Amino acid sequence: MSFLYPLFLLAGLTLAIPVIIHLFNLRRYKTVLFPHTRFLKNIQLRSQKQSQVRYKLLLALRMLFLAALILAFAQPFISSGSKTEGGNRLQVIYVDNSGSMSLKKSARSLLDIAKDAVRKQVRQAAPGTRFVLITNDRPSAYSPLPADKVLAELNSVDISASTRSSEQVLATVQNLLQTESAHGADLYYYSDFQRNAFSAPRDKSLASNIKFFGIPVQADAARNIYIDTAYLVSPVLQTGMSNQLIVHSKAIGDVPDESPVLQLSINGQVKSASQLSFNDKKESVDTLSFQVNDTRWQQMTLSINDAAVRFDDIFRITARSAPNLSVLTLNEGAPNPYIQAAFRSYQGFRLNQLDVSQAPADLKEYNLVILNNVTRIDEGLGKILANALSQGQTICIFPGRSNSVAGFDGLKILGEISFTGIDTASQAAATLQQGSPLVRDLFERIPDNVQLPVANWHYIISAGLSANQQAILSFRNGDPFLARYTPSKGQLYISATAADLQSGNFPGSYFFVPFLYQMTMQSRGGDVYAITSGRQQAAFLPLADASERNMVHLYGEDLDAIPPQRTSGSGVEIYVDQVVQQPGFYTLAAQGSDTVMVALNEDRKESQLDFWTMRALKNEWKGEGVTWLEPSEIGAAGDGAALGSFPLWKVCAILALLMLLAETVVLAGGLRKQNVATQ
């Protein structure tokens, strides 16, 4: 037992006061007049015995009254987890305030229910107990706070776009144990326990020295309709023409009888709408047509009228028209029909074709330069390509088959790149690097059973460290099928085989046309952005003179921040979601650069509403140091040892009042007897 105000115990000296008073009263005698004396001796004996018993009882009651009153002011408490034999224990409360906690149970949200349970726990804890409050959107630096400050911060906790996994929460607690030099922690985990955020079984290494108290806060039934993703059919936004937007929506739980309405707004004006119709898999794919009349950035907002859960009812896209994206194809022989078909399918590209012998000395006007079926890159052509790369241009080489690799010696001018031989065996690509800029953010979803391209023959490519090789498609032995090189500001892509059906099926594969589109747009930055928070997707801003003094700024409503950024080719890659998690439209700009507008969306995994049941949780997370409780059990009888200490000062105050009442009863009884005796 401990005392919040131990100095009040000095008031125990006052217990001597009733003792002294009673001792003085015993030495005082009172003469009782009585008309007859034959019963005097019996009266005296009977009165003396009764008086002694009553005096002792009053003395005990008064001393107990003072003792209980003193203890009440000293405020004793029994802490149940704040200390151990080895030292202090941290009291850590994690409140999951992710989007799914906005679900309603009866008329209240799950977050409000969790916050009320936390308030009850904090208020019933022992006086002086300090807590660490962790949420999804709070900074990573935490410190123990007194109860009043925890309650104040709890009032400001609201639904956030950020999410935290159970491993991240446990890792944060482990860091706290080190920074606070604590020997252990009691972690109270208030969450709806979505399967994609709460891992099972538990990681025992992360859970060491942590007593886990799980408090599931879940709705009776989960129902939600949300926009999973959306993308333009065309790789570029076309001005003055009809554009099409493909929207994928999903339903969780029962689909409402009245079909929700999907609405498209551009720059605040409604452009199109459609009723959602879900199939047996509870998925809906809709096509919305719209038209824009200028080349500025367009803020595109997709919304649905889902009353159950509102946090994921909006999907944002930014796009701008990119007219006359210039592509130059340098052919050795006949033009490639697959390259022609790729760029002539849309009006946003201007394709020029020249013989490789007529290559212009300056290629800066072209967004992409393709060398098609070339069997020789000499020193002169190598210098032209090296100059283009130094200016930040993008070059793609599809080599033709040759009996001698010596004709490609000009590649050495570009960097430490060379063809060392030719492999005539037919091989399929075995690996796709999904982190590559060509693949990342380009596809809605790559099918699990997608067939990677096959090469009937290929060159063996060797590259030094200065070439910065990144294989996008690789053969089983690790040799690159298609690789990206960044020996200078620009980006160089080299295929190990030609782009014709005699050399393989790459031109007719799933990846050929999207790869060419992405290569074309890399030199000028992206023209379509729909970034998902938490996935570290980079936005590209063309910036010829990037330096510490010329940083890219992120602008929003009441926001001016410098996000993490790194030089890439002729510009800078900016990671917007590292500084903001709130969905919305943001602007990127730097001195001497173009302005880019990006759209930030929530991570859709919170929309899936797939929860662990209490039974499953108890099976997956069990053993010593794990306790599962309902929110209604917080502070209930029998749970005080786990969730804090009962305020004993209240018991002491009640005892003091009972002692005072008992003393009053004893005094009143004595007066009645005295009146009867004197009659």
Side-chain angles (χ1 to χ4, degrees), residues 248-273:
H248 287 242
S249 305
K250 293 184 179 181
I252 304 296
D254 297 332
V255 178
D257 297 332
E258 185 177 350
S259 299
V261 176
L262 173 67
Q263 182 175 281
L264 170 65
S265 300
I266 300 180
N267 300 327
Q269 296 183 353
V270 178
K271 292 288 186 178
S272 182

Short mmCIF file of all heavy atoms in Angstrom, two decimals, residues 248-273:
data_model
loop_
_atom_site.label_atom_id
_atom_site.label_comp_id
_atom_site.label_asym_id
_atom_site.label_seq_id
_atom_site.Cartn_x
_atom_site.Cartn_y
_atom_site.Cartn_z
N HIS A 248 -13.78 0.72 -59.90
CA HIS A 248 -14.06 -0.56 -59.25
C HIS A 248 -14.57 -0.29 -57.83
O HIS A 248 -13.87 0.34 -57.03
CB HIS A 248 -12.80 -1.42 -59.18
CG HIS A 248 -12.39 -1.99 -60.50
ND1 HIS A 248 -12.34 -3.34 -60.75
CD2 HIS A 248 -12.02 -1.39 -61.66
CE1 HIS A 248 -11.94 -3.55 -62.00
NE2 HIS A 248 -11.74 -2.38 -62.56
N SER A 249 -15.76 -0.78 -57.53
CA SER A 249 -16.36 -0.62 -56.20
C SER A 249 -16.63 -2.00 -55.61
O SER A 249 -16.84 -2.97 -56.34
CB SER A 249 -17.66 0.18 -56.27
OG SER A 249 -17.45 1.43 -56.91
N LYS A 250 -16.65 -2.07 -54.28
CA LYS A 250 -16.89 -3.32 -53.59
C LYS A 250 -17.88 -3.11 -52.45
O LYS A 250 -17.98 -2.00 -51.90
CB LYS A 250 -15.58 -3.90 -53.04
CG LYS A 250 -14.61 -4.35 -54.12
CD LYS A 250 -13.38 -5.01 -53.52
CE LYS A 250 -12.43 -5.49 -54.61
NZ LYS A 250 -11.22 -6.15 -54.04
N ALA A 251 -18.59 -4.19 -52.13
CA ALA A 251 -19.55 -4.15 -51.03
C ALA A 251 -19.15 -5.19 -49.98
O ALA A 251 -18.75 -6.30 -50.32
CB ALA A 251 -20.96 -4.44 -51.54
N ILE A 252 -19.28 -4.82 -48.72
CA ILE A 252 -19.03 -5.70 -47.59
C ILE A 252 -20.34 -5.88 -46.84
O ILE A 252 -21.02 -4.90 -46.52
CB ILE A 252 -17.96 -5.12 -46.64
CG1 ILE A 252 -16.66 -4.83 -47.40
CG2 ILE A 252 -17.70 -6.06 -45.48
CD1 ILE A 252 -15.97 -6.04 -47.97
N GLY A 253 -20.70 -7.14 -46.57
CA GLY A 253 -21.96 -7.40 -45.88
C GLY A 253 -23.13 -7.32 -46.83
O GLY A 253 -23.01 -7.52 -48.06
N ASP A 254 -24.29 -7.00 -46.30
CA ASP A 254 -25.51 -6.96 -47.11
C ASP A 254 -25.51 -5.73 -48.01
O ASP A 254 -25.20 -4.62 -47.58
CB ASP A 254 -26.74 -6.92 -46.20
CG ASP A 254 -26.86 -8.19 -45.36
OD1 ASP A 254 -26.37 -9.25 -45.81
OD2 ASP A 254 -27.43 -8.11 -44.25
N VAL A 255 -25.89 -5.96 -49.27
CA VAL A 255 -26.00 -4.86 -50.23
C VAL A 255 -27.35 -4.18 -50.00
O VAL A 255 -28.38 -4.85 -49.90
CB VAL A 255 -25.89 -5.37 -51.67
CG1 VAL A 255 -26.07 -4.24 -52.67
CG2 VAL A 255 -24.56 -6.07 -51.88
N PRO A 256 -27.40 -2.87 -49.91
CA PRO A 256 -28.68 -2.19 -49.67
C PRO A 256 -29.65 -2.40 -50.83
O PRO A 256 -29.25 -2.60 -51.98
CB PRO A 256 -28.28 -0.71 -49.52
CG PRO A 256 -26.95 -0.60 -50.19
CD PRO A 256 -26.28 -1.92 -49.99
N ASP A 257 -30.95 -2.37 -50.50
CA ASP A 257 -31.97 -2.56 -51.53
C ASP A 257 -31.92 -1.45 -52.57
O ASP A 257 -32.10 -1.70 -53.77
CB ASP A 257 -33.36 -2.61 -50.87
CG ASP A 257 -33.49 -3.80 -49.93
OD1 ASP A 257 -32.80 -4.82 -50.17
OD2 ASP A 257 -34.26 -3.71 -48.96
N GLU A 258 -31.68 -0.25 -52.11
CA GLU A 258 -31.59 0.88 -53.04
C GLU A 258 -30.14 1.04 -53.49
O GLU A 258 -29.24 1.23 -52.68
CB GLU A 258 -32.06 2.16 -52.35
CG GLU A 258 -32.11 3.36 -53.28
CD GLU A 258 -32.66 4.59 -52.58
OE1 GLU A 258 -33.16 4.44 -51.44
OE2 GLU A 258 -32.59 5.68 -53.17
N SER A 259 -29.92 0.93 -54.80
CA SER A 259 -28.56 0.95 -55.33
C SER A 259 -27.90 2.30 -55.06
O SER A 259 -28.49 3.35 -55.34
CB SER A 259 -28.58 0.69 -56.84
OG SER A 259 -29.13 -0.58 -57.11
N PRO A 260 -26.67 2.27 -54.53
CA PRO A 260 -25.96 3.54 -54.32
C PRO A 260 -25.62 4.21 -55.65
O PRO A 260 -25.52 3.55 -56.70
CB PRO A 260 -24.69 3.11 -53.58
CG PRO A 260 -24.98 1.74 -53.06
CD PRO A 260 -25.93 1.13 -54.03
N VAL A 261 -25.41 5.51 -55.57
CA VAL A 261 -25.09 6.29 -56.77
C VAL A 261 -23.62 6.69 -56.73
O VAL A 261 -23.12 7.19 -55.71
CB VAL A 261 -25.98 7.55 -56.86
CG1 VAL A 261 -25.57 8.41 -58.05
CG2 VAL A 261 -27.44 7.15 -56.96
N LEU A 262 -22.93 6.44 -57.84
CA LEU A 262 -21.53 6.84 -58.01
C LEU A 262 -21.51 8.14 -58.80
O LEU A 262 -22.12 8.24 -59.87
CB LEU A 262 -20.76 5.75 -58.75
CG LEU A 262 -19.33 6.08 -59.16
CD1 LEU A 262 -18.44 6.24 -57.94
CD2 LEU A 262 -18.78 5.00 -60.08
N GLN A 263 -20.79 9.12 -58.28
CA GLN A 263 -20.79 10.45 -58.89
C GLN A 263 -19.37 10.93 -59.13
O GLN A 263 -18.49 10.76 -58.29
CB GLN A 263 -21.53 11.42 -57.97
CG GLN A 263 -21.65 12.84 -58.52
CD GLN A 263 -22.51 13.71 -57.61
OE1 GLN A 263 -23.74 13.65 -57.63
NE2 GLN A 263 -21.86 14.51 -56.79
N LEU A 264 -19.15 11.52 -60.30
CA LEU A 264 -17.84 12.09 -60.66
C LEU A 264 -17.95 13.60 -60.72
O LEU A 264 -18.78 14.15 -61.45
CB LEU A 264 -17.38 11.54 -62.01
CG LEU A 264 -16.15 12.23 -62.63
CD1 LEU A 264 -14.91 12.02 -61.78
CD2 LEU A 264 -15.91 11.75 -64.06
N SER A 265 -17.07 14.26 -59.95
CA SER A 265 -16.98 15.72 -59.99
C SER A 265 -15.57 16.11 -60.39
O SER A 265 -14.59 15.48 -59.95
CB SER A 265 -17.31 16.33 -58.62
OG SER A 265 -18.63 15.99 -58.22
N ILE A 266 -15.45 17.12 -61.24
CA ILE A 266 -14.15 17.63 -61.68
C ILE A 266 -14.09 19.11 -61.35
O ILE A 266 -14.94 19.89 -61.80
CB ILE A 266 -13.93 17.39 -63.18
CG1 ILE A 266 -13.99 15.89 -63.49
CG2 ILE A 266 -12.60 17.98 -63.63
CD1 ILE A 266 -13.79 15.55 -64.94
N ASN A 267 -13.12 19.46 -60.50
CA ASN A 267 -12.95 20.84 -60.05
C ASN A 267 -14.23 21.39 -59.42
O ASN A 267 -14.59 22.55 -59.60
CB ASN A 267 -12.52 21.74 -61.22
CG ASN A 267 -11.19 21.30 -61.82
OD1 ASN A 267 -10.32 20.79 -61.12
ND2 ASN A 267 -11.04 21.48 -63.11
N GLY A 268 -14.93 20.52 -58.68
CA GLY A 268 -16.13 20.93 -57.97
C GLY A 268 -17.40 20.88 -58.77
O GLY A 268 -18.48 21.12 -58.21
N GLN A 269 -17.37 20.53 -60.05
CA GLN A 269 -18.56 20.45 -60.88
C GLN A 269 -18.88 19.00 -61.22
O GLN A 269 -17.99 18.24 -61.61
CB GLN A 269 -18.37 21.24 -62.18
CG GLN A 269 -18.18 22.74 -61.96
CD GLN A 269 -18.09 23.50 -63.27
OE1 GLN A 269 -18.03 22.90 -64.34
NE2 GLN A 269 -18.05 24.82 -63.19
N VAL A 270 -20.15 18.62 -61.04
CA VAL A 270 -20.58 17.25 -61.33
C VAL A 270 -20.55 17.02 -62.83
O VAL A 270 -21.14 17.77 -63.61
CB VAL A 270 -21.98 16.98 -60.76
CG1 VAL A 270 -22.43 15.57 -61.11
CG2 VAL A 270 -22.00 17.20 -59.26
N LYS A 271 -19.83 15.96 -63.24
CA LYS A 271 -19.69 15.66 -64.66
C LYS A 271 -20.44 14.41 -65.09
O LYS A 271 -20.88 14.31 -66.24
CB LYS A 271 -18.20 15.47 -65.00
CG LYS A 271 -17.37 16.74 -64.88
CD LYS A 271 -17.68 17.70 -66.01
CE LYS A 271 -16.76 18.91 -65.98
NZ LYS A 271 -17.02 19.84 -67.10
N SER A 272 -20.55 13.44 -64.20
CA SER A 272 -21.18 12.17 -64.58
C SER A 272 -21.64 11.45 -63.34
O SER A 272 -21.15 11.72 -62.23
CB SER A 272 -20.20 11.31 -65.38
OG SER A 272 -20.80 10.11 -65.81
N ALA A 273 -22.59 10.51 -63.51
CA ALA A 273 -23.10 9.72 -62.40
C ALA A 273 -23.61 8.39 -62.92
O ALA A 273 -23.96 8.25 -64.10
CB ALA A 273 -24.21 10.46 -61.65
#
